[in-house]
Amino acid sequence: RRAEEERHMLVRDASKSLIESILPALDSFDQAISTTEESGPWVEGIKNTHSQLMKALEAEGVSAFDPTGETFDPTKHEPVERVAVKSQVEDNVVTKVYQRGYTLHGTIIRPARVAVGHFQIES
C-alpha cells in the first residue's frame, strides 16, 4: 500500500512539472485569442488548438480559473497592479486578470496574476 502511494505521488509530481511547463504556451494562446479582432481559418485553428489542449489537460485534472470580481485572496491570486476604484465595494476586489490561474486536482499550481482594486477616501 505504501509503495502504491509513493508511486502515485511520483506520477502526480511528474504531471505537475509537465503541466507547469505547458502553461506559458496556454498563456500565449489566451493572449493571441483575446487580442485578435480578425476572423478566418487561422483564427479558428488557434482557437481549436487551444480548446484541444485544454480538454487534454482537463482530462488530467487541470482547471483554469479567472477570478475577475472575486475578493483578493493571496493564496489564489498574485497581485501585479493596484488600481484606484471609486467605490468601497470594489476595494480589495480583482478588477483585471493578466494571467489565468490553474489548479491540478483542486490544488493551485499557479496563482492568477491580477490587478486589485484599492479604494481611498478623498480628503
Side-chain angles (χ1 to χ4, degrees), residues 33 36 38-51:
I33 291 167
T36 188
E38 297 180 37
S39 61
W42 70 275
V43 175
E44 289 305 311
I46 289 173
K47 289 179 181 179
N48 288 339
T49 302
H50 178 264
S51 177

Side-chain angles (χ1 to χ4, degrees), residues 28-43:
S28 295
F29 275 116
D30 288 337
Q31 188 166 9
I33 291 167
S34 69
T35 59
T36 188
E37 294 177 8
E38 297 180 37
S39 61
W42 70 275
V43 175

Side-chain angles (χ1 to χ4, degrees), residues 2-79:
R2 179 184 234 174
E4 180 65 25
E5 287 177 11
E6 287 177 8
R7 188 183 71 74
H8 182 70
M9 292 298 285
L10 285 172
V11 169
R12 195 172 184 157
D13 288 345
S15 296
K16 181 181 175 190
S17 292
L18 176 62
I19 290 163
E20 287 174 333
S21 69
I22 293 172
L23 295 182
L26 283 172
D27 294 334
S28 295
F29 275 116
D30 288 337
Q31 188 166 9
I33 291 167
S34 69
T35 59
T36 188
E37 294 177 8
E38 297 180 37
S39 61
W42 70 275
V43 175
E44 289 305 311
I46 289 173
K47 289 179 181 179
N48 288 339
T49 302
H50 178 264
S51 177
Q52 289 172 346
L53 187 53
M54 282 304 300
K55 284 180 184 173
L57 290 171
E58 287 168 359
E60 296 301 316
V62 176
S63 297
F65 64 92
D66 179 337
T68 304
E70 292 181 8
T71 300
F72 175 74
D73 178 348
T75 62
K76 295 174 23 180
H77 312 131
E78 179 182 334

Side-chain angles (χ1 to χ4, degrees), residues 83-113:
V83 178
V85 292
K86 297 179 182 183
S87 139
Q88 196 164 4
V89 174
E90 297 172 296
D91 188 43
N92 208 35
V93 172
V94 174
T95 59
K96 182 176 181 180
V97 176
Y98 290 101
Q99 283 183 331
R100 294 189 300 169
Y102 289 89
T103 61
L104 175 60
H105 301 291
T107 302
I108 294 174
I109 58 173
R110 188 182 79 184
R113 297 178 141 214

